[in-house]
Amino acid sequence: MDVEAVRSELPVLDGLAYLNAGTNGPLPRRTVEAMRASLARDLEQGRSSGPYFEAMLERRESLRAALAKVLNANPVDVALTTSTTEGCNVVLNGLRIGPGDEVVTTDSEHPGLFGGLAASGADLRVVEVRDLSVAEAGEALVASVGERTKLVALSHVSWLTGARFPVERLSGRGVPVLLDGAQAAGAIPVDVNELGCDFYTVSAQKWLLGPDVTGALYVRREMVDELRLAMPSYGSFDFEDGYTYDVLREGAARFDPGWIAAASGLGLLESLAFADEVGEERFEHASEMAAHLKQRLEGAGYEVVTEAGQATLVTWKVGEDAKALVERLAEAGVVVRELPGLGWLRASCGFWTNQDDLERLLGAL
């Protein structure tokens, strides 16, 4: 893989050691160019007419297919969302999760998932995995699923530590599994068939390098009719015979919560194509960068929270105000993030990361 060729298409890397794709990934040049062209077209020609609307619908299906490829899923099993948060809420509301329902989750979930769980009023069985090894976390999660459990909802990759939870061990137990894939899709290979999950969410603005407010939700085929249409939209219904509202669209497309801006859709298609053209080697490179950073941080005397052999996030403890340190690093041209209330810093290593980025981080520390 030609890392420098990849980096040349990501202008933000010219001036920054950008290590925060776990929040927002760097935008490819071609992505922004496509969005500018789309907005210019809308400015000059308007946002109406039959052809305009038909092109938008066709683009949505192209986007559905491209996002399905990321998950090794069939396009019919993918809904287009604006975020992982929205995808989680489609599922929680669709399953009617509420008071009296037991949901197994962890103490390491992002608010995008945990917020919906908390608001549901369900009985949350929160498994404390933050201080466990990945193997121990897997055992604890499996042991927590019982006869009362209506849903298991957790991250595929922890946003706190980059731990890749053994979520495939939770499938086949007669309980639906919802996975927050925000820190996995685009960062590591994802195959929803191998994972055996029922629902999988995607935040496309992170590791997939897409525009803001883009994402996806995978729904296992057998669960489509089990999931109530809790957030219906224009795209939820089959209007071939007029506005009758009595026929839902086939597959997960019925769960599309609304529209994605035309420019954003075109931009995301370019971002997905960019990563696809880089090839499967991108995952190995990102993993190597994360392993190298972990090694260098430990060699410099830091306590690294991230276990070896995990995903592409590396988290370590700092002996000073983490927020102030992030600001100081930003002044030195290094972008990482703090994890609130923990005194930890987190760096995101992608297929665009090189040794210079890591050296710049270590030097600034």
Side-chain angles (χ1 to χ4, degrees), residues 36-69:
R36 283 174 175 160
S38 176
L39 289 171
R41 185 261 175 225
D42 291 350
L43 177 66
E44 296 164 4
Q45 301 179 34
R47 296 174 293 171
S48 186
S49 80
Y52 179 90
F53 190 69
E54 290 168 8
M56 182 168 60
L57 293 177
E58 290 175 5
R59 183 165 54 249
R60 289 178 66 82
E61 297 316 304
S62 297
L63 189 54
R64 198 183 309 278
L67 286 164
K69 186 176 180 180

Side-chain angles (χ1 to χ4, degrees), residues 294-316:
K294 173 179 167 63
Q295 182 182 47
R296 290 297 310 278
L297 286 166
E298 290 174 336
Y302 289 98
E303 182 180 350
V304 177
V305 179
T306 303
E307 191 175 331
Q310 299 309 303
T312 51
L313 295 173
V314 179
T315 300
W316 67 102

Side-chain angles (χ1 to χ4, degrees), residues 26-339:
L27 283 169
R29 190 188 318 275
R30 62 199 277 182
T31 298
V32 175
E33 290 174 351
M35 294 175 71
R36 283 174 175 160
S38 176
L39 289 171
R41 185 261 175 225
D42 291 350
L43 177 66
E44 296 164 4
Q45 301 179 34
R47 296 174 293 171
S48 186
S49 80
Y52 179 90
F53 190 69
E54 290 168 8
M56 182 168 60
L57 293 177
E58 290 175 5
R59 183 165 54 249
R60 289 178 66 82
E61 297 316 304
S62 297
L63 189 54
R64 198 183 309 278
L67 286 164
K69 186 176 180 180
V70 171
L71 305 176
N72 194 30
N74 189 309
V76 75
D77 300 324
V78 174
L80 302 180
T81 68
T82 62
S83 63
T84 279
T85 299
E86 188 170 60
C88 289
N89 287 330
V90 167
V91 174
L92 296 178
N93 288 299
L95 291 176
R96 297 180 171 86
I97 297 297
D101 294 328
E102 180 183 90
V103 178
V104 171
T105 187
T106 82
D107 63 348
S108 298
E109 299 310 318
H110 188 276
L113 170 59
F114 204 87
L117 292 173
S120 73
D123 299 332
L124 302 184
R125 190 167 187 175
V126 181
V127 184
E128 297 182 355
V129 301
R130 188 175 301 171
D131 297 324
L132 300 180
S133 69
V134 171
E136 290 170 335
E139 294 294 337
L141 284 163
V142 170
S144 297
V145 180
E147 293 182 359
R148 288 191 58 238
T149 307
K150 184 171 182 178
L151 176 69
V152 178
L154 75 160
S155 299
H156 183 187
V157 169
S158 169
W159 74 292
L160 296 178
T161 67
R164 192 188 312 205
F165 294 125
V167 293
E168 61 278 356
R169 296 187 57 190
L170 298 168
S171 66
R173 302 174 63 84
V175 179
V177 176
L178 163 62
L179 296 181
D180 175 343
Q183 301 300 341
I188 62 174
V190 174
D191 187 328
V192 290
N193 303 294
E194 292 182 357
L195 294 173
C197 58
D198 298 277
F199 313 101
Y200 195 99
T201 68
V202 174
S203 293
Q205 85 281 5
K206 297 180 186 290
W207 301 94
L208 293 174
L209 313 187
D212 291 338
V213 201
T214 54
L217 169 68
Y218 161 79
V219 180
R220 186 167 62 87
R221 193 81 50 88
E222 293 78 3
M223 294 299 296
V224 168
D225 290 332
E226 300 294 322
L227 200 64
R228 178 174 65 107
L229 186 60
M231 298 173 67
S233 69
Y234 180 93
S236 300
F237 303 94
D238 184 345
F239 288 136
E240 285 191 9
D241 297 324
Y243 294 109
T244 60
Y245 299 93
D246 56 352
V247 180
L248 295 174
R249 286 193 65 182
E250 179 186 3
R254 68 179 62 173
F255 303 115
D256 289 4
W259 297 113
I260 295 172
S264 295
L266 283 167
L268 181 52
L269 281 170
E270 291 294 334
S271 293
L272 294 171
F274 173 64
D276 197 46
E277 290 165 13
V278 175
E280 295 297 304
E281 296 171 283
R282 68 188 187 275
F283 297 121
E284 182 178 354
H285 176 80
S287 178
E288 290 174 353
M289 290 294 99
H292 184 67
L293 177 57
K294 173 179 167 63
Q295 182 182 47
R296 290 297 310 278
L297 286 166
E298 290 174 336
Y302 289 98
E303 182 180 350
V304 177
V305 179
T306 303
E307 191 175 331
Q310 299 309 303
T312 51
L313 295 173
V314 179
T315 300
W316 67 102
K317 297 180 180 180
V318 295
E320 57 184 288
D321 186 302
K323 184 176 181 180
L325 180 53
V326 167
E327 293 174 355
R328 180 168 65 79
L329 291 172
E331 292 174 358
V334 178
V335 183
V336 295
R337 71 155 295 172
E338 65 154 329
L339 295 169

